[in-house]
């Protein structure tokens, strides 16, 4: 039976008790409105930990002024039932006031330079500062041995890895694979914003990523790979923020250079912004 905890003292007491018993604690932070992608992270954490805590907190500091913070879907009953089904032991539900005791304006901020600055960092200024600020707080609150993050947010995972290495959190970070709908669309809480005419077109992102992989393997220069993906997405009505071919550390590879790659797309269909990526 899942236990819902809303007070920090109670959370710390529960986790301290587990640690006294020598149990390993896993953590899956979320913003709620959970889907199979989140539940796969809980199950992944469960493989490496004896107990799993998951948090649901819609973090105001990672949304830009024109973004969807107020309309972000909140589905607490379904989330609780789903987390229990996935094997989560504790649902941690902080409030905005407990997360930011001095208020959002006076909150101490965590900024991870470098990897935060590109791609999403260019399109959503301050977003990763908000993510790192809340994740640092969540790590201090839960004090897990390991934490699982989804690879759909490829750059977020890279930023979190740097945060943990740099601030020396004693937490192992594990990345969970992208869970997709039957047509390839990566699962996301934002998919439900898509209208019936938009939803079938959204699968074009995954097709564009696969085509980027093929074009790269066929020897196309990076600029061509990226321009083709952009045109392909624009043709079905997307406004493209970026279609990028990168090294795993998100730096730009030279043409003809061997090695692993990640293709990343962020694109908007109407007011819905979707991101996805493919590693190869
Ligand atoms: O990936 C998310 O849902 C959020 O960015 C996270 C990690 C829960 C921080 O608010």
């Amino acid at each position: 039976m899942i236990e819902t905890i809303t007070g920090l003292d109670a959370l710390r007491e529960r986790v301290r008790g587990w640690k006294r018993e020598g149990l390993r604690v896993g953590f899956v932070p979320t913003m709620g409105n959970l889907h199979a992608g989140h539940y796969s992270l809980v199950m992944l954490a469960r493989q490496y930990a004896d107990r799993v805590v998951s948090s649901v907190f819609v973090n105001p500091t990672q949304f830009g002024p024109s973004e969807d913070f107020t309309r972000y879907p909140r589905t607490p009953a379904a989330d609780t039932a789903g987390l229990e089904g996935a094997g989560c032991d504790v649902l941690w539900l902080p409030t905005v006031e407990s997360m930011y005791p001095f208020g959002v304006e006076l909150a101490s901020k965590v900024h991870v330079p470098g990897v935060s600055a590109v791609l999403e960092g260019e399109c959503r200024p301050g977003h990763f500062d908000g993510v790192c600020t809340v994740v640092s707080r969540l790590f201090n609150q839960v004090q897990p041995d390991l934490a699982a993050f989804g690879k759909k947010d490829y750059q977020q995972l890279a930023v979190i890895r740097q945060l943990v290495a740099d601030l020396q959190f004693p937490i192992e970070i594990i990345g969970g694979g992208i869970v997709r709908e039957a047509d390839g669309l990566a699962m996301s809480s934002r998919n439900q914003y898509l209208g019936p005419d938009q939803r079938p077109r959204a699968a074009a992102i995954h097709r564009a990523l696969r085509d980027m992989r093929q074009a790269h393997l066929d020897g196309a220069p990076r600029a061509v790979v990226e321009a083709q993906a952009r045109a392909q997405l624009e043709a079905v009505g997307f406004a493209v923020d970026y279609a990028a071919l990168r090294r795993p550390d998100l730096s730009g590879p030279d043409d003809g250079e061997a090695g692993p790659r990640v293709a990343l797309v962020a694109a908007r269909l109407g007011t819905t912004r979707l991101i996805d990526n493919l590693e190869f």
Side-chain angles (χ1 to χ4, degrees):
M1 181 78 185
I2 193 166
E3 179 185 9
T4 298
I5 298 185
T6 55
L8 186 53
D9 289 344
L11 175 72
R12 290 210 160 125
E13 188 43 44
R14 178 65 66 248
V15 173
R16 261 199 303 267
W18 289 338
K19 290 195 172 175
R20 271 197 300 269
E21 292 176 52
L23 300 176
R24 198 165 147 77
V25 179
F27 177 47
V28 180
T30 81
M31 297 205 301
N33 193 237
L34 306 179
H35 50 68
H38 296 108
Y39 299 135
S40 74
L41 293 177
V42 172
M43 291 185 258
L44 180 68
R46 197 78 252 177
Q47 283 173 31
Y48 296 93
D50 305 296
R51 296 286 181 272
V52 176
V53 177
S54 192
S55 59
V56 171
F57 180 70
V58 186
N59 173 36
T61 66
Q62 69 187 76
F63 288 80
S66 59
E67 292 181 359
D68 54 347
F69 172 65
T70 44
R71 72 169 182 143
Y72 198 84
R74 279 127 170 121
T75 49
D79 293 350
T80 310
L83 284 171
E84 177 160 287
C88 178
D89 298 284
V90 161
L91 168 57
W92 167 226
L93 281 182
T95 60
V96 174
E97 293 70 30
S98 65
M99 186 63 77
Y100 298 108
F102 293 91
V104 166
E105 292 307 316
L106 290 182
S108 304
K109 305 263 172 19
V110 180
H111 174 71
V112 171
V115 66
S116 285
V118 299
L119 301 172
E120 287 298 287
E122 284 166 335
C123 301
R124 304 181 68 190
H127 168 67
F128 285 125
D129 291 355
V131 170
C132 291
T133 296
V134 81
V135 168
S136 302
R137 285 158 192 262
L138 287 163
F139 282 172
N140 281 331
Q141 292 163 356
V142 179
Q143 306 206 354
D145 297 296
L146 68 94
F149 291 82
K151 288 189 180 178
K152 184 177 83 71
D153 296 296
Y154 183 94
Q155 189 176 2
Q156 172 172 278
L157 179 58
V159 169
I160 298 293
R161 286 193 194 283
Q162 186 167 320
L163 165 82
V164 163
D166 195 25
L167 295 187
Q168 298 160 27
F169 282 106
I171 300 172
E172 183 190 344
I173 301 299
I174 49 180
I178 299 174
V179 180
R180 299 184 180 281
E181 304 284 359
D183 65 356
L185 177 66
M187 287 202 181
S188 164
S189 303
R190 293 188 165 107
N191 291 352
Q192 65 194 264
Y193 299 150
L194 296 167
D197 60 318
Q198 294 174 323
R199 173 60 192 83
R201 285 187 282 148
I205 294 188
H206 187 231
R207 278 198 300 277
L209 289 167
R210 287 195 322 227
D211 291 350
M212 289 175 82
R213 172 177 62 191
Q214 194 55 52
H216 170 70
L217 296 175
D218 290 346
R222 175 154 71 103
V224 171
V225 172
E226 294 177 348
Q228 278 173 351
R230 179 176 284 272
Q232 198 174 332
L233 289 164
E234 285 172 352
V236 294
F238 276 101
V240 180
D241 282 349
Y242 56 80
L245 182 69
R246 295 291 158 101
R247 298 190 187 103
D249 68 0
L250 295 178
S251 60
D254 296 325
D255 290 334
E257 177 192 310
R261 294 286 179 270
V262 56
L264 306 102
V265 162
R268 286 167 283 121
L269 208 43
T271 54
T272 305
R273 186 173 187 274
L274 301 173
I275 62 170
D276 196 358
N277 67 83
L278 190 65
E279 293 174 86
F280 46 93

